[in-house]
Amino acid sequence: MDSPESVVYERRVAARFASFDQDGNGWIDREDFSTAAAHLLAEFGITARCDKGQALYGGAEALWQGLAGIADVDGDQRVTRQEFVGGTLKRLRDRTSGFTEIARPFLHAAFAVADTAGVGTVSVADAERALRAFGVSPKVAGEVAVALDGDGDGRVTEPDAVAAFAAYFTTLP
Ligand code: CA
Ligand code: CA
């Protein structure tokens, strides 16, 4: 029988897999990243053709390539649940700084999309919108957005968002 610890671990791994598998078809591939980009742009009413849209799609492609390099063991351009569970998170954790660099262009572009006031930070409300656009449940999105605002001034900074993103995918019990 599984220990409670391993049940918690597997649940967390499943949650992270689901975060990447944006279209929920059971594997992670390039489509999931372009889907995520499209959802975010739609939420904020930004076209794919403009500079912000192009930057987001470019970042999404780089993030997919980076994840595939780490996780697509058999090279079929899909990361299956088996490939993901079988070591992806461990490798992400071992390469936390590398993963942060892989994700940075996407996060930078996503941040620019959500920075509706154009002031270099994102309001907690817009951070929540962005998280919901990425499929995070409304309840969790609200909690995370508030937690991202570490100093409680109602704004989220890009370094805090990048650190939280990396921590989510590289920190497990
Ligand atoms: Ca998918
Ligand atoms: Ca594969």
Side-chain angles (χ1 to χ4, degrees):
M1 204 178 129
D2 287 348
S3 68
E5 290 81 14
S6 73
V7 170
V8 169
Y9 179 81
E10 281 172 21
R11 197 178 298 148
R12 292 189 184 187
V13 170
R16 281 141 184 83
F17 184 86
S19 300
F20 280 123
D21 181 16
Q22 289 272 313
D23 60 14
N25 66 349
W27 63 79
I28 303 164
D29 67 8
R30 178 178 276 114
E31 283 287 309
D32 291 309
F33 293 85
S34 54
T35 298
H39 286 164
L40 187 71
L41 292 179
E43 171 63 32
F44 288 92
I46 291 174
T47 66
R49 287 179 157 196
C50 73
D51 288 349
K52 283 184 179 179
Q54 290 295 304
L56 189 65
Y57 277 102
E61 172 65 16
L63 181 52
W64 157 244
Q65 292 288 346
L67 182 72
I70 292 168
D72 181 17
V73 177
D74 64 7
D76 69 349
Q77 299 294 306
R78 288 179 184 178
V79 176
T80 61
R81 190 176 294 269
Q82 198 174 8
E83 284 173 322
F84 194 77
V85 172
T88 299
L89 289 167
K90 182 180 182 307
R91 284 192 290 275
L92 289 179
R93 190 171 59 219
D94 292 346
R95 304 185 199 172
T96 299
S97 60
F99 183 61
T100 304
E101 294 316 309
I102 288 166
R104 196 180 294 281
F106 178 73
L107 294 174
H108 181 72
F111 204 83
V113 167
D115 176 14
T116 52
V119 293
T121 56
V122 167
S123 71
V124 168
D126 284 336
E128 182 177 346
R129 286 173 70 197
L131 288 163
R132 289 171 70 153
F134 289 140
V136 178
S137 74
K139 179 173 178 291
V140 173
E143 290 168 1
V144 170
V146 169
L148 283 170
D149 173 20
D151 64 1
D153 70 349
R155 312 287 303 178
V156 177
T157 66
E158 186 173 332
D160 284 349
V162 170
F165 181 89
Y168 179 69
F169 287 108
T170 58
T171 310
L172 281 171

